[in-house]
Amino acid sequence: MRERDRFAQLVTLLGRHGMRGLSAKLGFGSPDDGQFVDARPDAVVALLRDIGPVGVKFGQILAMRSDLLGPQWINALSTLQDRVPAVPFEEIAPAVEDAIGGDLDSYFSSFDREPLAAASIAQVHAATMLDGRSVIVKIRRPGIGAIVDADLRLLRRFARTAANRIPELARLKPDELLSQFAESLDREMDLSAEGRSSDSIGAFLAPLGVRTASFEWELSGRRVNVQQRLIGTPATDLDRAREAGVDLQAVARTYAQAILRSIIFHGQFHADPHPGNVILLQDGSLGFIDFGAVGTLLPRRRDQLVQLALSIASDDVAGVADILMIWAGDPEVDRDRLEFALGELIDSFKDVVLSNVDLSKIFEQVFRLLREFQLALPPDLALVLRTLLTAEGFVRRLDPAFNIADELAPVARELIAERTSLITLKKEAKKIGVALARATLSTPEIIGQIDKFARTGKIPVTISATDLQILSRAFEKKPASNPGVIPAALLISAAILSSDWPVLAVCSAAAGALMILRTWIHRNS
């Protein structure tokens, strides 16, 4: 009953923000509520705010998808801030004590009543351990779990209905977006996940002079984490850093190397490295905090990125198109027009000196091209590009003369060395060996099929139900787009499925007649 009431509230919110036409299109309102028109970005942002934590978080995920949404939408969604009124200390204290299994006085010599920050999922308090160490205590808001679970289920229902009824929204792949969103939300709800990421990424970045907070694991779990408080100058206050004599050029280099290397070599990276999550520490090192948003780049995906870079470097436009099509799920596109557009894009920046490369402008062109051809990126790559854009913007603020060539060169050398190392070559040789072994084991079956064909003159053909459905959908969408498909199918079918010449002659005559008839209809329509 509670979910039904909440569902009614969401439908009411659609009407309140001028989206009764959208509600009717989804089947939740009267057909007389108006025609569906594109919702205004500002109205959608207001709607997401009113929905609450799940709406705000989902809007923030959408704000990272410049491959799906234009600048007007991205700018509007980027205004969604995850700031809410704090939960009173009288309600937070019992929640912390329940999570750590004891009174606050048993573990902390002091615990600030006023939070440092309050968000929709958790809020943060400063505290001091009994041994005098300064820590941060992050506690999940009481009751937030039930709210998030219920709203997420309802959002999935809305998304499935929208994808089925509104083609304009189906292009956004709401199921895929919501899967990414659910994973991100589940991770954020588990406060111990932040600690594990901080430890893993921190261990990788330590040799570069980057530190992350250590966690008190005896007190940390899903509902609460207790972490070291890093002391230094916030990267949001660069004037103060300059006055303190901080070498911002050195900070820019360290920061850039940390982001690039964690993405390329570690495969796990801080996905929200904005200045608010960076601290210039007193010992001159760099501190990364708040690992609530973390991205992962699997080796397979990294190899695809390397293939993409090599294709771009060698002017292999077809190779670039192949990778993009794989990422987008191989949709129907005008391949010639896509390759022409990619060629123009590559030509526009291939002769630019690396030190003058502006990633934001390049990404803007790439995103525009992806939207034009409706080629959506996989969520993990969308997060990588958004992270690089965030990092590039911050680096430019730290050092306007930053030379990206100096930072990319050593990374490229290490990547080449890694891919040509004996260990990597040995792994690739092992994969080839396994493939050959599988082929060898299949040899008797292959020979058997050849022998059967030699004896009977027939080739067994299997067509899956999925393939038939795809073919059926193609004809439903574009029944006259390929006038030669049916005649060609008749010819191929006759050749494969029959050695009877009269049957072949009949099929050929039918194919010819169909082609002449369809051509005449096409010319006179």
Side-chain angles (χ1 to χ4, degrees):
M1 288 297 295
R2 284 196 299 270
E3 286 198 11
R4 186 179 301 174
D5 291 343
R6 179 58 171 159
F7 192 82
Q9 290 176 4
L10 295 180
V11 173
T12 301
L13 286 175
L14 284 171
R16 181 183 302 168
H17 292 285
M19 301 180 201
R20 279 190 289 271
L22 172 59
S23 181
K25 186 75 172 179
L26 294 174
F28 305 131
S30 168
D32 299 328
D33 281 338
Q35 297 296 317
F36 169 67
V37 295
D38 290 336
R40 300 188 323 276
D42 58 335
V44 171
V45 167
L47 170 67
L48 293 173
R49 283 199 186 99
D50 282 355
I51 288 175
V54 171
V56 170
K57 294 291 183 183
F58 187 56
Q60 291 173 338
I61 291 289
L62 288 175
M64 300 179 184
R65 299 306 303 266
S66 297
D67 57 318
L68 298 176
L69 302 171
Q72 183 183 13
W73 279 95
I74 297 300
N75 292 336
L77 291 166
S78 297
T79 63
L80 283 168
Q81 298 295 322
D82 190 19
R83 296 191 183 97
V84 297
V87 177
F89 180 75
E90 290 73 21
E91 297 179 32
I92 279 293
V96 175
E97 291 175 340
D98 182 58
I100 65 177
D103 296 337
L104 294 181
D105 294 341
S106 301
Y107 298 98
F108 306 101
S109 61
S110 67
F111 195 104
D112 288 0
R113 297 176 64 90
E114 294 298 321
L116 295 172
S120 56
I121 301 297
Q123 64 187 53
V124 177
H125 291 256
T128 304
M129 301 291 290
L130 294 178
D131 60 8
R133 287 178 294 125
S134 295
V135 294
I136 295 292
V137 180
K138 182 178 289 189
I139 178 69
R140 212 166 68 182
R141 297 171 74 92
I144 190 64
I147 295 173
V148 166
D149 288 344
D151 277 5
L152 189 56
R153 283 195 295 272
L154 293 178
L155 189 59
R156 284 186 182 278
R157 294 181 195 174
F158 269 102
R160 281 195 295 268
T161 304
N164 291 331
R165 299 193 178 203
I166 305 176
E168 301 96 318
L169 297 181
R171 186 186 74 80
L172 301 181
K173 298 183 177 180
D175 279 344
E176 185 177 283
L177 276 172
L178 279 174
S179 294
Q180 177 202 9
F181 174 55
E183 291 176 7
S184 173
L185 203 54
D186 182 65
R187 173 189 170 77
E188 194 166 351
M189 292 289 289
D190 180 7
L191 299 186
S192 65
E194 179 183 355
R196 292 191 294 272
S197 297
S198 179
D199 286 351
S200 172
I201 298 175
F204 175 79
L205 294 179
L208 297 177
V210 177
R211 287 172 52 194
T212 60
S214 59
F215 280 67
E216 299 291 326
W217 284 110
E218 291 184 0
L219 302 178
S220 299
R222 286 189 62 87
R223 291 181 294 157
V224 67
N225 70 46
V226 181
Q227 55 184 286
Q228 172 191 13
R229 185 174 188 180
L230 298 180
I231 306 300
T233 303
T236 52
D237 193 351
L238 295 183
D239 290 337
R240 178 180 161 193
R242 291 188 185 92
E243 292 173 0
V246 176
D247 185 349
L248 295 184
Q249 292 182 337
V251 170
R253 289 194 298 272
T254 300
Y255 175 85
Q257 286 291 316
I259 299 300
L260 289 172
R261 290 176 179 275
S262 59
I263 292 174
I264 296 173
F265 296 114
H266 188 54
Q268 190 181 36
F269 55 93
H270 197 312
D272 194 18
H274 63 76
N277 288 333
V278 180
I279 297 178
L280 312 178
L281 301 176
Q282 294 174 341
D283 62 1
S285 59
L286 207 59
F288 281 4
I289 62 172
D290 194 357
F291 284 82
V294 173
T296 301
L297 191 69
L298 296 176
R300 172 179 59 85
R301 190 73 79 202
R302 190 188 68 170
D303 289 345
Q304 291 173 344
L305 282 173
V306 172
Q307 293 172 21
L308 181 67
L310 292 174
S311 297
I312 293 173
S314 60
D315 287 340
D316 180 10
V317 177
V320 175
D322 287 340
I323 295 295
L324 292 180
M325 293 290 285
I326 290 173
W327 287 345
D330 201 22
E332 293 184 12
V333 299
D334 184 338
R335 179 70 183 234
D336 292 337
R337 195 166 68 88
L338 173 62
E339 291 189 10
F340 180 79
L342 286 171
E344 286 191 325
L345 176 61
I346 294 172
D347 287 341
S348 69
F349 62 79
K350 71 178 181 180
D351 294 326
V352 177
V353 180
L354 274 177
S355 59
N356 296 328
V357 167
D358 187 339
L359 285 182
S360 61
K361 290 184 178 179
I362 292 176
F363 284 173
E364 182 181 338
Q365 296 178 59
V366 171
F367 289 143
R368 187 186 304 117
L369 185 146
L370 291 173
R371 292 193 300 271
E372 178 184 351
F373 288 91
Q374 299 187 5
L375 299 176
L377 291 174
D380 56 343
L381 279 180
L383 194 57
V384 168
L385 295 185
R386 179 55 54 181
T387 300
L388 290 174
L389 275 176
T390 300
E392 196 247 6
F394 180 43
V395 165
R396 296 289 184 188
R397 287 180 55 196
L398 289 169
D399 180 11
F402 182 77
N403 188 340
I404 193 172
D406 292 342
E407 309 308 319
L408 286 175
V411 173
R413 285 195 296 268
E414 288 186 36
L415 185 59
I416 293 172
E418 180 191 273
R419 293 178 64 81
T420 57
S421 67
L422 290 176
I423 295 177
T424 301
L425 294 176
K426 185 177 179 180
K427 289 181 179 178
E428 294 302 319
K430 185 176 180 180
K431 291 179 183 177
I432 295 174
V434 171
L436 289 174
R438 284 200 300 265
T440 302
L441 292 173
S442 301
T443 300
E445 286 79 4
I446 296 173
I447 293 175
Q449 293 291 341
I450 295 174
D451 176 64
K452 186 176 181 180
F453 170 64
R455 287 186 288 102
T456 65
K458 296 179 180 179
I459 300 175
V461 177
T462 302
I463 302 177
S464 70
T466 302
D467 291 336
L468 286 174
Q469 291 173 1
I470 293 173
L471 184 61
S472 174
R473 287 198 299 270
F475 277 104
E476 288 174 1
K477 292 178 180 177
K478 298 181 180 180
S481 59
N482 294 303
V485 170
I486 294 178
L490 282 169
L491 288 173
I492 295 171
S493 300
I496 291 179
L497 301 177
S498 177
S499 57
D500 191 339
W501 285 103
V503 173
L504 178 58
V506 171
C507 288
S508 300
L514 277 173
M515 186 169 291
I516 293 171
L517 178 61
R518 293 179 69 94
T519 302
W520 182 85
I521 292 173
H522 179 70
R523 288 179 177 177
N524 291 276
S525 60

